[in-house]
Amino acid sequence: MADTLALVDYGAGNLRSVANALKAAGAEGVVVTADPSIVRAADRIVLPGVGAFRHCIGALSGVPGLVEALEERVLVGAAPFLGICVGMQLLADRGVEHGVTNGLGWIAGEVRVIEPADATIKVPHMGWNDVEPMRNHAGAELIEAGEAYFLHSYHFVPEQSTSIAAMSDHGGGIVAAVARDNILGVQFHPEKSQSYGIALLARFLEWKP
């Protein structure tokens, strides 16, 4: 029997593209859902996110029981979890876009605006860029060196370097992925990263943290 993968629909994600990429990576039991009972029973969970931090955490928190179901299944039940783009940023303690807003607080850190050292480098960070794994955490084995597609103006600044699973560069270091236990978050978009992204999703589908 195929694993059930809950692709969380809270009105702030690129769901169709992510679902198609997961299926291309080999996922069979993808369920697009905002139902806490389905999330609570899922074998794996993917949380996408597009837009502003404040809007996304507000939309996620606005679905009754959804955050609690995620905490129960991921933090207590240890289901493998993948956050994508803003879905990764929401793992932080807080974001500062449009004022300070609390995040999920699963990985200590803050989401701040990208401020390149070179003023000629444009924000948002948009397009293909290198991903360099940082082998200081168990979740980093899912990340391989290569190129992925990024689109963001804010970036995750973890409190501890051991939370960093991969780095990129855009006028200075940009965290490309964070990890903790059974939790992986990627700033780039696997669903837009062609073979590199599909390969990452395939490894996530087999991950047994």
Side-chain angles (χ1 to χ4, degrees):
M1 183 176 177
D3 282 359
T4 299
L5 188 151
L7 178 57
V8 182
D9 178 8
Y10 59 106
N14 188 14
L15 293 167
R16 179 175 294 180
S17 294
V18 176
N20 287 340
L22 285 163
K23 291 173 184 176
E28 297 179 1
V30 178
V31 180
V32 179
T33 185
D35 186 334
S37 65
I38 295 175
V39 170
R40 196 174 281 111
D43 296 297
R44 296 174 190 274
I45 296 171
V46 175
L47 181 70
V50 175
F53 185 102
R54 171 170 282 190
H55 169 75
C56 288
I57 194 66
L60 186 66
S61 302
V63 180
L66 185 54
V67 169
E68 292 80 5
L70 285 166
E71 291 174 342
E72 181 178 328
R73 189 69 191 100
V74 179
L75 300 184
V76 180
F81 172 94
L82 174 64
I84 296 174
C85 195
V86 180
M88 169 261 223
Q89 294 181 359
L90 296 182
L91 302 176
D93 292 321
R94 70 195 70 84
V96 300
E97 189 174 3
H98 305 310
V100 177
T101 307
N102 289 334
L104 293 172
W106 292 5
I107 295 179
E110 184 172 87
V111 177
R112 306 171 187 165
V113 68
I114 298 171
E115 297 180 307
D118 182 347
T120 65
I121 293 177
K122 294 181 179 180
V123 174
H125 175 208
M126 180 172 62
W128 292 85
N129 208 338
D130 291 337
V131 176
E132 294 293 339
M134 305 290 287
R135 300 301 185 195
N136 56 11
H137 191 282
E141 78 267 13
L142 297 181
I143 307 292
E144 292 187 354
E147 283 191 317
Y149 187 86
F150 292 79
L151 178 56
H152 62 120
S153 298
Y154 287 74
H155 66 128
F156 196 140
V157 182
E159 285 187 7
Q160 299 183 8
S161 62
T162 51
S163 299
I164 301 172
M167 292 292 295
S168 189
D169 184 89
H170 189 69
I174 295 285
V175 172
V178 295
R180 167 198 159 191
D181 303 326
N182 54 304
I183 299 166
L184 177 69
V186 295
Q187 181 61 69
F188 54 87
H189 287 271
E191 76 280 8
K192 296 181 180 180
S193 298
Q194 300 178 7
S195 60
Y196 179 85
I198 298 299
L200 170 70
L201 294 175
R203 290 191 294 274
F204 171 72
L205 294 173
E206 298 295 327
W207 191 30
K208 294 180 171 63

